[in-house]
Amino acid sequence: MIIDTISNFEKYITLNPLFQVVADFLQKNDLNQMEEGIHEIKGKDLFVNITTAAARTIDEAVLETHRLMIDIQLPLSVEETYGYTPAGDLPPAPYVEEKDLTLIPGVAAQSYVTCRPGMFAVFFPQDGHAPCIASKNFKKAIFKVKA
């Protein structure tokens, strides 16, 4: 997991070949002005979903993991808190291949971090994360990057 400001995103481009494409996209596009929905950047290997997320409390947030994709999440309108637990510490749960998603309900995260607009969080396949903890519904961008 990585938490940082968008101005520092360039420091992480060596972690995945598609991170440079994300950096270029961030420089050329204003995420706040983009229409909601999925915007393909490199087909199924890299896309961004601009969405209005339903706010959850810590108790409502559900830990999730992905096997094939990396999440780069950017809150756009309000701060967002994420629960975090290493995937290796999570109990077994069914994997939904077509969504690249494992949900682990009923398990509290081990720790929490908060991003303000202008920041980002990166969650790798080994990172269990519980997104959308916020005070009200909010606009966010989720880049999905092939791991």
Side-chain angles (χ1 to χ4, degrees):
M1 176 180 70
I2 298 168
I3 304 288
D4 205 340
T5 60
I6 294 171
S7 62
N8 286 329
F9 187 78
E10 291 273 340
K11 296 179 182 205
Y12 304 99
I13 60 173
T14 59
L15 296 177
N16 181 293
L18 293 170
F19 280 20
Q20 178 64 61
V21 181
V22 173
D24 294 342
F25 189 89
L26 288 169
Q27 287 180 348
K28 295 176 185 172
N29 295 277
D30 181 350
L31 299 177
N32 287 297
Q33 299 303 314
M34 292 181 70
E35 287 188 32
E36 289 201 11
I38 295 174
H39 304 268
E40 286 191 5
I41 302 168
K42 287 247 178 200
K44 301 279 186 226
D45 289 348
L46 174 59
F47 58 91
V48 64
N49 183 15
I50 306 294
T51 188
T52 298
R56 300 176 185 152
T57 65
I58 285 176
D59 292 333
E60 294 168 332
V62 176
L63 283 159
E64 62 184 57
T65 61
H66 312 289
R67 292 183 185 175
L68 305 176
M69 303 299 276
I70 299 165
D71 279 2
I72 303 172
Q73 300 198 20
L74 300 91
L76 300 175
S77 61
V78 300
E79 69 180 29
E80 177 180 14
T81 297
Y82 307 92
Y84 172 78
T85 300
D89 290 352
L90 294 170
Y95 173 67
V96 180
E97 187 173 352
E98 55 274 5
K99 293 184 177 183
D100 183 38
L101 180 65
T102 300
L103 293 175
I104 305 96
V107 176
Q110 291 177 356
S111 61
Y112 295 88
V113 295
T114 299
C115 286
R116 297 178 314 277
M119 297 177 71
F120 67 92
V122 180
F123 299 104
F124 296 93
Q126 69 269 17
D127 299 323
H129 54 287
C132 301
I133 302 168
S135 60
K136 62 182 179 179
N137 293 353
F138 63 103
K139 188 173 183 182
K140 71 183 288 184
I142 307 162
F143 286 88
K144 301 293 279 187
V145 182
K146 185 174 182 177

